[in-house]
């Protein structure tokens, strides 16, 4: 059996990380600075958790034949049926081109239909089909399961505090409160 010498053993990695944190000679930069461990940085943790959460949510949606963007759009559309495609795009912070592409995908899946807006024949109102309504129920169940697992180690008070703090960070960063993940910050 050949030993893989390219990987650092877990104890050696832990020792290296500990030395960086404690400031031992191996972990101290010139000038006496102790390098910060990425796990101590807010942005690093948010990216790490965001990618993990998105991956897990995507895995949960796979049996439904959906991607995260489909689920997000279906949930938002369920609360705004009959509104114009443009109005929904503006509400969730998605540009017109991306919105057309997303609605086209949902239409091909048989979940959404465009109908001529009787008040403005130049625009289309969006509606969920019967299959779309049933799928929204499935997405809500998957979302509840994901939400329950994602913060399972937190008390209700901790969860509420974390959500409140993250909302404050999102607002400070100019993110749309009802926006889709990946949407550009609000102009400001």
């Amino acid at each position: 059996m050949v030993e893989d010498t390219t990987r650092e053993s877990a104890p050696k990695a832990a020792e290296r990380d500990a030395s960086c944190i404690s400031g031992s000679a191996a972990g101290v930069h010139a000038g006496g600075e102790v390098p910060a461990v990425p796990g101590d940085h807010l942005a690093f943790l948010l990216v790490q958790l965001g990618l993990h959460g998105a991956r897990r949510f995507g895995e949960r949606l796979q049996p439904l034949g959906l991607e995260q963007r489909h689920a997000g759009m279906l949930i938002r559309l369920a609360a705004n049926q009959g509104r114009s495609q443009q109005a929904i795009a503006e509400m969730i912070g998605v540009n017109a081109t991306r919105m057309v592409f997303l609605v086209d995908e949902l239409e091909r899946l048989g979940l959404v239909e465009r109908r001529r807006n009787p008040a403005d024949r130049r625009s289309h109102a969006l509606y969920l089909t019967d299959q779309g309504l049933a799928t929204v129920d499935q997405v809500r169940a998957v979302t509840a399961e994901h939400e329950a697992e994602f913060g399972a180690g937190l008390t209700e008070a901790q969860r509420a505090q974390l959500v409140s703090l993250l909302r404050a960070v999102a607002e400070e960063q100019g993110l749309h409160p009802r926006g889709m993940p990946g949407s550009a910050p609000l102009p400001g």
Side-chain angles (χ1 to χ4, degrees):
M1 185 168 156
V2 177
E3 185 178 326
D4 183 359
T5 57
T6 60
R7 289 190 190 168
E8 184 175 34
S9 70
K12 283 184 181 177
E15 183 180 325
R16 175 188 37 78
D17 290 346
S19 72
C20 288
I21 293 168
S22 67
S24 70
V28 176
H29 287 271
E33 294 176 27
V34 177
V37 176
D40 291 341
H41 290 260
L42 174 65
F44 175 84
L45 285 170
L46 290 175
V47 168
Q48 189 176 35
L49 287 167
L51 291 172
H52 174 72
R55 182 183 53 77
R56 292 286 297 133
F57 189 53
E59 290 168 358
R60 285 187 164 96
L61 289 171
Q62 244 176 356
L64 302 178
L66 299 175
E67 296 176 18
Q68 296 95 323
R69 67 179 184 264
H70 299 139
M73 182 61 192
L74 289 171
I75 294 297
R76 287 159 178 87
L77 182 54
N80 293 282
Q81 288 203 75
R83 294 192 64 191
S84 76
Q85 184 170 305
Q86 180 181 356
I88 294 173
E90 288 172 7
M91 178 189 70
I92 63 176
V94 173
N95 73 43
T97 303
R98 186 173 176 205
M99 183 68 172
V100 168
F101 180 73
L102 186 53
V103 174
D104 285 348
E105 287 181 330
L106 293 172
E107 209 169 28
R108 275 192 296 276
L109 291 170
L111 305 175
V112 171
E113 65 181 358
R114 291 176 173 107
R115 297 182 197 161
R116 285 266 179 222
N117 185 342
D120 181 358
R121 299 194 65 76
R122 297 170 295 162
S123 71
H124 289 90
L126 299 179
Y127 294 88
L128 293 170
T129 63
D130 289 342
Q131 182 183 348
L133 290 167
T135 301
V136 165
D137 290 340
Q138 293 174 309
V139 167
R140 286 184 174 137
V142 165
T143 302
E145 178 185 308
H146 182 66
E147 179 74 16
E149 179 191 285
F150 206 70
L154 301 175
T155 66
E156 285 302 315
Q158 289 171 325
R159 182 185 290 264
Q161 181 182 21
L162 180 58
V163 168
S164 177
L165 292 168
L166 290 173
R167 277 192 187 128
V169 171
E171 185 178 322
E172 184 268 329
Q173 292 295 313
L175 298 178
H176 197 288
R178 291 180 303 234
M180 299 277 280
S183 298
L186 295 169

